[in-house]
């Protein structure tokens, strides 16, 4: 797929040029065979005592007692020395035992298959599964065309806890189709206290099998985990192609992605799946983002609601902290229904997404957010600071029209400070139904709020303050000549301009 130039300033480039990212994602993931029953038993004489495991652990590593009821992969012949290919031994353990223990050490493996009622626990970051070169995935459930469209057939009740999955990023060429954890057609999965490190493609891919294959994922929890791309030459930390009731909580995303890739977290269904894809009830809570190199920290590259049999709904982003270095073209929140170059705009009858971004903060990200072709979204009690360019509701193209977008208790602090690419905190383009309440613009440059290139109606601005505390503001609310405000549908209440003049919205 073509990549975005680093200097691209067009917000629209963010949400549709990256949309080809997921093409053929699972084309390489049909590898790996489940071991036969005859090969699933421990090798004769291979039982390893806890004393032997402690003796073979890496020097300086403090080993822990194996939990009761668990079986060590070393019982099935795994060496965990970082050199021996332990794939067959670890797969024997996964096939034979429900409760599998990873001792301290590094197991070189690839294309391991998970099954229902599987629990894998390690000793923390000292227990490592290292993806061998050439393996399209490290761990997987239902790769390729395995699994079915019926969620009753899903692989279910999987818990992965306290170990590290390490990829080969920085040692092999970038490949967006090589993932660490590849899950399709799964239910009731808990990923807790894992470290995803150096993934070549995605850290965790929650997919729908091969293209055109209907698979659904439900009730997946990703808790207190770390996604560290290490070299900023990866695809996404987490990709969700299909998911219902997915929770991502208490996790960190570090050094992940690369320019042209969607985001540290990317919600992006395949276009061939409009008849059956499901992205509903997604929660991203108490997560932190640092040194992300992708186009966005969080990307919602969704399909048009009116194309979907099951419209996307109920996405909550809360208590998130995002930090950037004003990487050109990067957006904190890329929010669109125009993925894969879709042109449909929401209508009065379109099902609203019900997106909520609450109690979050973003500092030093080039663009705070962009909405395009979306209906039904709220950002509230959230602060955007030190962004070179402006936040955007729309992007100047009539096909990026939005409906019912609300900002409540949002603060823009030193946003749009670069006069070459910013010069305003917020730009509003073509929309029907925009509400700003208790919005604060401070330390601004140029313009506080601008209406540009388009038509807007049903706009309400109330209890909003624009303060020229920096001395760099020259106008409070500006309507450019290429924007039409529908006067009879708009409402202005208690707009405060402090130290700056000019309110084209009130004086329309």
């Amino acid at each position: 797929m073509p990549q975005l130039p680093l200097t691209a300033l067009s917000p629209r480039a963010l949400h549709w040029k990256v949309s080809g990212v997921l093409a053929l994602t699972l084309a390489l993931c049909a590898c790996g065979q489940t071991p036969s029953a005859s090969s699933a038993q421990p090798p004769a004489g291979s039982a390893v005592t806890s004393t032997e495991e402690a003796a073979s652990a890496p020097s300086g590593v403090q080993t822990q007692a194996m939990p009761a009821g668990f079986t060590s992969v070393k019982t099935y012949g795994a060496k965990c020395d970082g050199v021996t290919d332990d794939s067959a031994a670890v797969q024997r353990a996964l096939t034979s035992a429900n409760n599998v223990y990873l001792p301290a050490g590094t197991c070189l493996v690839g294309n391991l298959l998970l099954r229902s009622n599987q629990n894998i626990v390690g000793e923390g970051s000292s227990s490592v599964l290292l993806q061998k070169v050439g393996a399209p995935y490290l761990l997987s459930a239902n790769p390729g065309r395995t699994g079915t469209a019926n969620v009753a057939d899903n692989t279910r009740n999987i818990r992965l806890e306290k170990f590290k999955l390490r990829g080969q990023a920085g040692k092999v060429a970038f490949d967006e189709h090589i993932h660490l954890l590849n899950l399709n057609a799964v239910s009731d999965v808990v990923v807790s206290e894992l470290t995803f490190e150096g993934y070549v493609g995605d850290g965790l891919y929650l997919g729908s099998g091969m293209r055109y294959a209907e698979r659904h994922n439900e009730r997946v929890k990703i808790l207190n985990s770390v996604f560290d791309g290490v070299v900023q030459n990866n695809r996404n930390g987490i990709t969700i192609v299909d998911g219902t009731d997915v929770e991502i909580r208490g996790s960190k995303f570090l050094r992940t992605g690369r320019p042209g890739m969607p985001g540290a977290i990317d919600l992006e269904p395949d276009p061939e799946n409009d008849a059956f894809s499901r992205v509903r009830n997604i929660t991203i809570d108490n997560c932190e983002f640092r040194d992300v190199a992708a186009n966005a920290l969080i990307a919602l590259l969704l399909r048009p609601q009116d194309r979907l049999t099951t419209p996307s709904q109920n996405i909550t982003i809360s208590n998130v902290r995002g930090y950037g270095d004003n990487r050109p073209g990067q957006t904190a929140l890329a929010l669109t229904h125009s993925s894969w170059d879709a042109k449909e705009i929401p209508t009065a009858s379109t099902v609203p997404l019900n997106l909520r971004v609450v109690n979050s903060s973003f500092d030093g990200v080039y663009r705070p957010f962009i909405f395009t072709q979306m209906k039904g979204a709220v950002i509230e009690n959230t602060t955007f600071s030190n962004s070179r360019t402006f936040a955007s509701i729309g992007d100047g193209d009539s096909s990026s029209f939005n409906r019912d977008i609300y900002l409540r208790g949002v603060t823009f602090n030193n946003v749009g400070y670069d006069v070459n690419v910013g010069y305003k905190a917020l730009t509003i383009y073509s929309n029907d139904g925009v509400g700003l309440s208790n919005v604060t613009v401070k330390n601004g440059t140029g313009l506080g709020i601008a209406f540009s290139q388009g038509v807007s109606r049903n706009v309400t601005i109330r209890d909003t303050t624009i303060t020229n505390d920096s001395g760099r503001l020259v106008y409070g609310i500006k309507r450019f000549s290429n924007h039409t405000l529908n006067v009879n549908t708009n409402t202005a209440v208690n707009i405060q301009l402090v130290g700056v003049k000019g309110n084209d919205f009130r004086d329309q």
Side-chain angles (χ1 to χ4, degrees):
M1 54 160 275
Q3 293 182 19
L4 293 178
L6 283 176
T7 57
L9 302 180
S10 168
R12 184 163 183 78
L14 174 68
H15 70 257
W16 67 266
K17 287 191 179 180
V18 299
S19 61
V21 172
L22 294 180
L24 303 178
T25 299
L26 295 179
L28 299 178
C29 294
C31 304
Q33 300 295 322
T34 303
S36 64
S38 61
S39 66
Q41 301 302 317
S46 66
V48 180
T49 67
S50 57
T51 302
E52 290 172 324
E53 287 187 0
S56 63
S59 176
V61 173
Q62 181 68 42
T63 62
Q64 303 175 13
M66 182 168 62
F70 279 73
T71 301
S72 172
V73 294
K74 290 189 173 182
T75 300
Y76 290 85
K79 300 299 183 184
C80 300
D81 57 10
V83 178
T84 304
D85 186 343
D86 285 326
S87 300
V90 175
Q91 186 63 70
R92 282 194 296 269
L94 295 176
T95 302
S96 301
N98 286 343
N99 301 325
V100 175
Y101 176 67
L102 296 176
T106 298
C107 302
L108 180 65
V109 293
N111 302 335
L112 299 177
L113 297 177
L114 297 165
R115 58 187 178 82
S116 290
N117 304 312
Q118 192 98 71
N119 298 310
I120 306 177
V121 66
E123 297 186 9
S125 60
S126 62
S127 299
V128 181
L129 293 180
L130 173 62
Q131 186 173 23
K132 65 183 183 181
V133 174
Y137 52 84
L138 200 163
L139 278 172
S140 183
N142 299 313
R145 294 193 178 277
T146 55
T148 77
N150 186 352
V151 294
D153 298 331
N154 277 9
T155 302
R156 61 186 65 248
N157 299 324
I158 296 172
R159 186 175 185 93
L160 310 175
E161 185 173 11
K162 295 182 180 178
F163 60 93
K164 178 183 291 187
L165 295 86
R166 180 188 295 159
Q168 298 284 351
K171 299 179 181 179
V172 300
F174 168 74
D175 188 328
E176 61 187 89
H177 309 300
I178 295 178
H179 311 313
L180 293 181
L181 181 57
N182 173 30
L183 301 177
N184 310 274
V186 296
S187 299
D188 303 304
V189 175
V190 176
V191 172
S192 179
E193 298 181 66
L194 292 196
T195 297
F196 297 78
E197 184 178 273
Y199 31 92
V200 176
D202 293 345
L204 191 159
Y205 180 87
L206 193 60
S208 187
M210 299 289 286
R211 301 290 288 276
Y212 302 95
E214 180 177 0
R215 305 290 184 269
H216 300 294
N217 306 294
E218 56 184 13
R219 298 185 299 279
V220 177
K221 295 182 179 181
I222 302 147
L223 310 174
N224 305 316
S225 294
V226 176
F227 295 80
D228 186 352
V230 179
V231 294
Q232 295 184 325
N233 191 28
N234 334 93
R235 190 170 76 157
N236 307 318
I238 297 175
T239 293
I240 300 176
V241 176
D242 187 287
T244 300
D245 298 320
V246 178
E247 301 177 29
I248 306 169
R249 297 184 185 274
S251 295
K252 293 184 178 181
F253 297 81
L254 312 171
R255 302 183 295 182
T256 192
R258 76 181 217 158
M261 295 295 101
I265 297 177
D266 176 31
L267 278 60
E268 188 174 0
D270 290 330
E272 298 85 358
N273 298 359
D274 287 349
F276 52 79
S277 73
R278 301 172 187 170
V279 177
R280 299 167 70 87
N281 306 331
I282 311 293
T283 299
I284 302 169
D285 179 65
N286 191 28
C287 292
E288 184 172 303
F289 300 79
R290 291 182 182 271
D291 299 324
V292 173
N295 287 352
L297 305 191
I298 300 175
L300 273 56
L301 306 182
L302 303 173
R303 300 289 294 153
Q305 295 283 72
D306 295 328
R307 285 194 188 186
L308 301 175
T309 303
T310 305
S312 302
Q313 277 194 299
N314 303 329
I315 298 173
T316 299
I317 301 169
S318 56
N319 304 301
V320 162
R321 303 166 303 283
Y323 304 92
D325 58 1
N326 271 290
R327 181 179 299 271
Q330 188 176 76
T331 298
L333 303 170
L335 311 169
T336 184
H337 281 288
S338 68
S339 72
W340 301 87
D341 203 20
K343 302 297 185 185
E344 291 89 340
I345 63 175
T347 69
S349 61
T350 297
V351 176
L353 176 62
N354 190 24
L355 165 67
R356 297 180 68 245
V357 180
V358 297
N359 301 330
S360 295
S361 63
F362 300 89
D363 190 345
V365 184
Y366 180 85
R367 185 183 302 280
F369 59 79
I370 177 171
F371 286 99
T372 60
Q373 293 163 248
M374 187 164 284
K375 179 181 179 181
V378 177
I379 301 179
E380 57 186 328
N381 300 329
T382 291
T383 298
F384 301 92
S385 302
N386 304 314
S387 294
R388 284 180 60 191
T389 195
F390 52 90
S392 179
I393 303 177
D395 72 354
D397 185 334
S398 60
S399 68
S400 67
F401 183 89
N402 297 280
R403 285 180 178 269
D404 303 333
I405 308 297
Y406 301 98
L407 308 183
R408 299 170 181 158
V410 171
T411 297
F412 298 96
N413 179 20
N414 193 30
V415 170
Y417 67 80
D418 188 333
V419 296
N420 296 309
V421 295
Y423 206 62
K424 59 188 79 77
L426 171 67
T427 299
I428 299 173
Y429 295 97
S430 291
N431 295 274
D432 186 347
V434 171
L436 277 59
S437 62
N438 293 295
V439 169
T440 299
V441 177
K442 61 182 183 179
N443 293 312
T445 300
L447 311 177
I449 298 171
F451 289 85
S452 182
Q453 195 174 347
V455 177
S456 62
R457 52 187 176 268
N458 297 310
V459 178
T460 297
I461 304 178
R462 67 171 66 242
D463 300 326
T464 288
T465 302
I466 300 173
T467 302
N468 188 20
D469 39 10
S470 66
R472 301 190 303 268
L473 273 182
V474 298
Y475 211 90
I477 302 178
K478 177 70 175 178
R479 182 189 67 83
F480 287 99
S481 60
N482 60 4
H483 188 97
T484 300
L485 286 168
N486 283 269
V487 177
N488 295 332
T489 68
N490 297 338
T491 302
V493 178
N494 192 29
I495 300 173
Q496 301 291 322
L497 303 182
V498 181
V500 65
K501 296 181 179 180
N503 184 346
D504 294 348
F505 186 76
R506 182 187 59 198
D507 301 329
Q508 56 191 308

